[in-house]
Amino acid sequence: MNDDGNIADTLRRQAAAHPEALAVAWPQGTRRGVPRYGRMSFGHLDAASEDLARRLVSAGLGDGQRVGLLVPPGRQFFILVFALLKAGSVMVCIDPGIGLRRFGRCLAVASVAAVIGSPKTLLARWIGRWVPGVSRYVVDGSFPGARRLDRLDPTAATRLPTMGPTDPAAVLFTSGSTGPPKGVCYTHGNFIAQLEALQQAFAIEPGEVDCATFPLFALFAPGLGMSAVVPRMNFTRPARVHPPMLQHCIETFGVTSLFGSPALLDTV
């Protein structure tokens, strides 16, 4: 693999090589009790995240700015993950299962400059009084005092930043199950090294399909040429997963691997 810069470059290469192949799929309601899924190709994910990255840079959210990502798994979540990486932002991701009070503390400790969320998650931010005074951006709708991402001007950003392996890419917080949640800073080089380790350890080949019960793993799958499929489940309570839902997901997409916590796998 030997990538030297931005972890998002792995998506750019896969989109150039296999633009129509499935990159990610996510639950999109049910019909007569059967889960339905939204789907996005490598080409679509790359183009949409490129456009959004320019909007983020034009809003001043690039160049190492820390941004709290309060968006549930779905189309906008995956686009935002790669857009933030392309923009040179540092995404701050927190397990929503840690509780409102801890969630706000984590955002404060991370010193976020802005938060991006859905109307529902921004309402939770308002109720919990998380990081008052920071800039707020909303996806899929509107929220008082928040700017809509789709109305930011992408043409104001003439180019996207060039990132190196030592540049920070994300701050990920632990679950807090053994103490206060702790933020861990990942560089682009850290993510690239993890990709290489996964590929070598499991002999992953392009075209495989992964069932990602931890949504952020969708960052790795496209870089490996895999399709990432997010099952229908409550990600804050993995031990309560409904095994038949996982079975349906596996059979529908021809899943070849599954990434999950011990609590989830014990239930299955």
Side-chain angles (χ1 to χ4, degrees), residues 7 91 169-170 172 186-195 219-220:
I7 181 64
M91 59 180 171
L172 309 181
Y186 283 75
T187 65
H188 286 270
N190 290 147
F191 281 138
I192 290 168
Q194 287 181 331
L195 272 184
L219 164 66
F220 294 128

Side-chain angles (χ1 to χ4, degrees), residues 3-51:
D3 295 290
D4 297 319
N6 195 325
I7 181 64
D9 290 340
T10 58
L11 172 62
R12 291 179 171 123
R13 279 189 288 277
Q14 294 297 337
H18 312 286
E20 301 302 324
L22 177 67
V24 291
W26 61 93
Q28 205 170 49
T30 60
R31 177 179 290 173
R32 296 178 181 176
V34 178
R36 301 173 62 192
Y37 292 87
R39 293 168 169 81
M40 195 172 354
S41 68
F42 283 103
H44 185 176
L45 178 57
D46 184 51
S49 60
E50 197 85 8
D51 175 77

Side-chain angles (χ1 to χ4, degrees), residues 109-130:
V109 167
S111 300
V112 296
V115 292
I116 299 176
S118 65
K120 183 177 180 179
T121 56
L122 288 181
L123 177 60
R125 187 210 67 85
W126 180 78
I127 294 172
R129 298 182 180 179
W130 307 335

Side-chain angles (χ1 to χ4, degrees), residues 69-72 76 80 100 115-128 130 136-150:
L69 188 57
L70 314 181
V71 179
Q76 288 292 351
L80 265 165
L100 290 179
V115 292
I116 299 176
S118 65
K120 183 177 180 179
T121 56
L122 288 181
L123 177 60
R125 187 210 67 85
W126 180 78
I127 294 172
W130 307 335
R136 300 175 299 281
Y137 297 84
V138 65
V139 297
D140 293 332
S142 60
F143 191 83
R147 300 175 66 187
R148 286 181 50 164
L149 286 180
D150 60 354

